[in-house]
Structure formats: C-alpha cells, structure tokens
Amino acid sequence: MVELSVLGYRRREPGRFPVEKSRLVNRPATQLVAEAGSPAAAAGRVGLVSDESRDACPPPGADPYPSLQSTRSRMNDEALLPPVPAPRPAATPAERLLSERIFLLADAHGLQALEGLDPRHGGLAICGGRTNPFTKIEKLRAEGYSGPLIGDPGLYTTHVATPEVPFAHAGQDDLFGSGLDQALDEQICRGATVALTPTGYLQAGDRAALRAVVEGAKGLDRTDTVVVVPAAVGWLVDPYLDLFTVELADIGHPVALALGGQFNPLDEREEATANLRRLLVGVPGVAPWRTDFAAFDGIAHGAPFAAMGATSGMRHTIPPDEKAQTKKRGGAVPPMVLFPELLRFTSGHTLATRYANHQPPTCGCVVCQGKPLTRFEGYGGDVRREADAHNAAAWNRLLPALFREPGLGERQALWKKICAVAHQAHEIEDLRLRQKKVFDPPDDVRRFATLPVTHAPIPLPAQGS
C-alpha cells in the first residue's frame, strides 16, 4: 500500500489490479464496440487454448469484459478516494462548450472532411503550421460545418515562452496588453467555438516563464478562452511537479496541457502518467492536449475535454530547439495505422508484412466497413488520408461507452478494462501468428492496464427507492 496525495488530501491507494491472462477459443472476433457499449474485442482473435482455458472464455458475441457491477463490488472494498460524478461542473462558458468531448487534432495543411467523428462526444481541432488554421475554420464554416471547431495557433512548436514574451502574439510592451486580446477575438470572429492562447513552449524548470504565462492568463477578462500550456514533460516530475500543479490551479481558465518530448513524452519517466492523473484530479479544468490515448485516460481522471492527434506528429509536442526523431532509418515514413484491438499505432507496411501469410485483421469503422487493415501499405497521399480517417473513426467508436459512465470511478474502471484486454490481445495475436513478440504492448497501454483505479464508484440507489 502506498499513499496518494492530491493537493494535500491523502488517502490510502490500493495495490495494482492484476491483469488476468487467458487464451481464447478459435472463434470469430467480436465487434470493436458493440452497440451496447462493449469496447475493443481484443480477445476475439484466433488462438491456441487448453481445455481449461476454453471453459473460462466468453461465448461468441458476449461482452469480453466483466460487468461493471462486479467491478463496482470489488471497488467498494478498496480504500479509494470518494466518488466524483462526471462531468465535474464547468467553471467557464468555454469549458462548458468543450465538456465531455475528445477532439481530433489535425494539421490544417491538406485537411479534408473526416468521417466518423462522434457528434455528441467528438469534435475537430485544427492546428497551425504551413496553413493558417483559422483560414481552414472559415472555409469549413462556410461549407456548413456546425460542430465544435477549435483552432490551435501551434506557435509553441517554433517559439519558447520567456518571462518577457510568454505569448507569441503579445509581449509585455503591448499597449495595455491588447495584442493578445485581439488575437483571441480574431479566432472567435473567424468561426472558432472558443479561443486558444498562442502560448510559447515552457522548458522544464523555467519558473519565471511559467509565472508570466499564468499572470498573462489571469489578466484576460473573458470567458471564451482556453489557455494552452505547452510544457516539457519534466514539469510532471520532481522537483517541479508541486510548483506546476499550484501554478495551473491559479490560471482561472480551462487549460489545454500539451506535453513536450520525443515520441511519447509520458514514456520518458515512469512516474509521469500517475503524476498527470493526480494533477488532473486535483486541478479541475486541465485537459490533455495534442496527445494519444492519454486523452482517454485524462477523461477518466477528471479532464473536462481532451484532444488526440490525427497523426504521429500531432500526438506530442517537439520542443522548438529539437528536431523530431524517428525510429525509421531514412526513406519515406509510412502511414501509422490504429490496430483497434491492440490500442496501438503500427505502420501500414509492418501490418502488410506480418500478415502476408495470415488472415489480416479487419475493422468495422465507417471508413473501413470490414476491410483489412493491411491495405495501408503505400506511401501516397490518398493512402495516408484514408489511414488517418480510419484512425479517427476507430477511436471515436470508444467514446459513447466511456462518456456513458456516471462517475470518475466507473470511467477509470472501464478504461482500465479496455487497456487490460488490449494488453492481453498482443499475446493472442502472437499465438495466432505463431511467433513470439510480433507485437509488444505499448508502454502506455501497459501503464493504463496496471495502474490502480483511484476513485470509488457512485453509490447505487437503494432498492425500492
């Protein structure tokens, strides 16, 4: 048992839940998300099993996860934090407009209309770069797009925040600080649902720059704004975590937290994921931004909204003084494809190669409609666009089930189950392909599957009431 501290509130934290390992019978794969809300049917792949494992397997078509009712009874026996209904009350109109949504964050350059965004819990955010995101927003509005739409200036990829100039469009010598307000006004006028601050990148430990961002945000007399905090992942570990938490709590606006680092920033420090969870629980209004499946983990731990990147480059923030690293040595980079049952992004070329002599995995999203995932082998623009559209449509299918849960404890339990089944599904695929470690579970899926649930479920009404 270890102690969990959230802004001074200390409770005993239960030990990790074990991830059960079992092998599944030879049978067709269940759907990724059934209409009843069942998430990834990672266990549906063909495997080799023993007779005793066969008896423990769910029947075809059944929900592969234990019921939340059984989880609830186990959770009530643990020393958890008190129940918290979801969503938590919004503090500003901007937060209310974005609440209970995971946005797709896409590069404005070459962006086309995407299928499969959940109308109730999805949304589109457009990031700047080669193309002005607000020009794209104007075009989409003119074409009749009426859903939630956000523009991220994305200037943190080229500008570092300093104590003198924390925002790329407004220095301290701006007349009455009007430059920042004008930049935010322009975003709203051009069709954005809310305005996002053009914050510079916060290098780890630069306390003066962080304080300047906070003071600048507190000076904004408006309720339509989200403060972007693009910060090195080093802020989430000692000796900076406590200061970072206190400063974010002082901003007074919703915060879009974009973590910086190579590849998955949360992989750099093992404790970063648990610390991010504590920050989200302790500081209402902070939302994971420009991330991967940490968006789902954030929602389960109290984030009002989140944004998941459409491409690898949009799923993390590269510090302005660094060049993006890649695991591929030279040549063109193939499109990354979401393998839904595994909750992993794998290159289209790798999928085509590994399933060359085996029945390929298929996907039932609105883009794929049962087609194999091995079709994304090429490098052309059309292949990339279809792969990106598949990725977004596939993870959007998980949203209704997650947001249907009434409290943080229930959302955490469901997300943990989804990740545990995805973690186990890697072993199932190895068995099906008759090779060892064809797919290694991503580090983040492993963490999400093994870190403990922190909140108790909301008590059920008394019978007969």
Side-chain angles (χ1 to χ4, degrees):
M1 302 284 281
V2 294
E3 286 192 334
L4 173 67
S5 175
V6 182
L7 294 184
Y9 180 62
R10 307 184 75 84
R11 290 290 301 264
R12 300 294 284 174
E13 177 180 325
R16 293 183 174 183
F17 293 169
V19 179
E20 297 180 0
K21 291 187 176 180
S22 61
R23 296 176 180 175
L24 302 182
V25 296
N26 295 330
R27 61 180 177 82
T30 20
Q31 294 291 330
L32 169 67
V33 180
E35 290 183 2
S38 169
R45 299 290 172 206
V46 177
L48 304 175
V49 299
S50 63
D51 290 338
E52 59 186 13
S53 298
R54 190 181 305 271
D55 294 336
C57 296
D63 188 339
Y65 304 118
S67 69
L68 281 182
Q69 180 65 35
S70 64
T71 301
R72 175 184 293 272
S73 63
R74 292 197 306 273
M75 290 166 65
N76 280 328
D77 294 333
E78 303 286 355
L80 300 176
L81 293 170
V84 175
R88 293 188 286 189
T92 70
E95 183 178 339
R96 190 174 304 112
L97 287 170
L98 308 186
S99 180
E100 297 285 88
R101 293 182 183 273
I102 295 182
F103 288 81
L104 173 70
L105 180 64
D107 192 326
H109 183 73
L111 176 67
Q112 297 182 351
L114 294 175
E115 300 177 83
L117 298 185
D118 188 87
R120 182 173 180 182
H121 296 297
L124 182 59
I126 305 175
C127 191
R130 289 176 289 176
T131 301
N132 187 315
F134 303 103
T135 300
K136 179 66 70 173
I137 285 177
E138 284 184 316
K139 184 174 184 296
L140 287 171
R141 290 301 193 201
E143 293 171 350
Y145 187 93
S146 59
L149 191 54
I150 310 172
D152 180 354
L155 296 174
Y156 44 79
T157 61
T158 55
H159 293 74
V160 173
T162 66
E164 296 75 26
V165 186
F167 303 102
H169 280 173
Q172 295 295 323
D173 58 350
D174 234 359
L175 182 61
F176 306 116
S178 60
L180 179 57
D181 262 321
Q182 290 176 0
L184 299 175
D185 286 341
E186 181 183 4
Q187 295 181 29
I188 301 298
C189 289
R190 299 183 74 174
T193 303
V194 300
L196 268 61
T197 59
T199 318
Y201 184 80
L202 286 162
Q203 296 176 320
D206 192 340
R207 304 179 182 213
L210 175 60
R211 173 45 31 188
V213 169
V214 173
E215 289 295 334
K218 290 172 65 178
L220 292 171
D221 185 19
R222 53 195 307 149
T223 60
D224 60 358
T225 298
V226 174
V227 176
V228 180
V229 176
V233 72
W235 284 104
L236 288 182
V237 298
D238 290 334
Y240 307 121
L241 176 61
D242 289 345
L243 170 68
F244 193 57
T245 302
V246 170
E247 292 285 24
L248 294 191
D250 195 32
I251 284 179
H253 297 271
V255 171
L257 177 58
L259 294 175
Q262 298 290 342
F263 305 111
N264 183 344
L266 291 172
D267 288 346
E268 293 184 15
R269 300 288 293 269
E270 184 69 19
E271 68 271 34
T273 297
N275 289 345
L276 176 59
R277 287 179 169 188
R278 292 185 179 100
L279 187 152
L280 296 176
V281 169
V283 186
V286 177
W289 193 259
R290 195 169 178 143
T291 189
D292 47 24
F293 282 107
F296 285 77
D297 197 67
I299 292 295
H301 289 83
F305 59 92
M308 186 165 171
T311 61
S312 299
M314 287 290 153
R315 289 192 281 272
H316 63 158
T317 301
I318 300 297
D321 58 348
E322 295 183 20
K323 183 178 180 180
Q325 299 177 12
T326 176
K327 296 179 181 178
K328 181 176 174 60
R329 297 180 179 179
V333 178
M336 299 301 291
V337 180
L338 176 60
F339 194 149
E341 286 92 344
L342 307 187
L343 291 185
R344 68 174 295 126
F345 291 93
T346 302
S347 77
H349 174 74
T350 297
L351 287 173
T353 300
R354 291 179 178 174
Y355 288 95
N357 299 314
H358 299 272
Q359 182 179 356
T362 60
C363 177
C365 75
V366 297
V367 174
C368 296
Q369 298 185 25
K371 296 176 184 176
L373 295 178
T374 50
R375 73 187 190 277
F376 300 113
E377 185 178 9
Y379 293 83
D382 289 343
V383 174
R384 292 182 184 279
R385 281 188 288 272
E386 186 173 357
D388 293 344
H390 148 74
N391 294 343
W395 62 254
N396 264 264
R397 298 180 75 192
L398 291 169
L399 298 181
L402 180 65
F403 284 108
R404 185 160 48 238
E405 297 303 328
L408 297 191
E410 289 88 346
R411 292 182 178 189
Q412 292 164 13
L414 177 61
W415 177 237
K416 182 182 175 72
K417 289 179 195 173
I418 293 172
C419 294
V421 172
H423 189 280
Q424 178 187 341
H426 286 75
E427 179 184 352
I428 302 299
E429 283 302 287
D430 288 351
L431 290 168
R432 192 166 81 87
L433 297 176
R434 291 176 170 80
Q435 299 180 49
K436 291 184 177 181
K437 295 189 175 181
V438 178
F439 295 107
D440 280 330
D443 288 341
D444 59 347
V445 172
R446 173 186 57 79
R447 290 191 297 269
F448 298 150
T450 55
L451 284 171
V453 168
T454 57
H455 285 72
I458 295 174
L460 292 173
Q463 292 185 350
S465 61

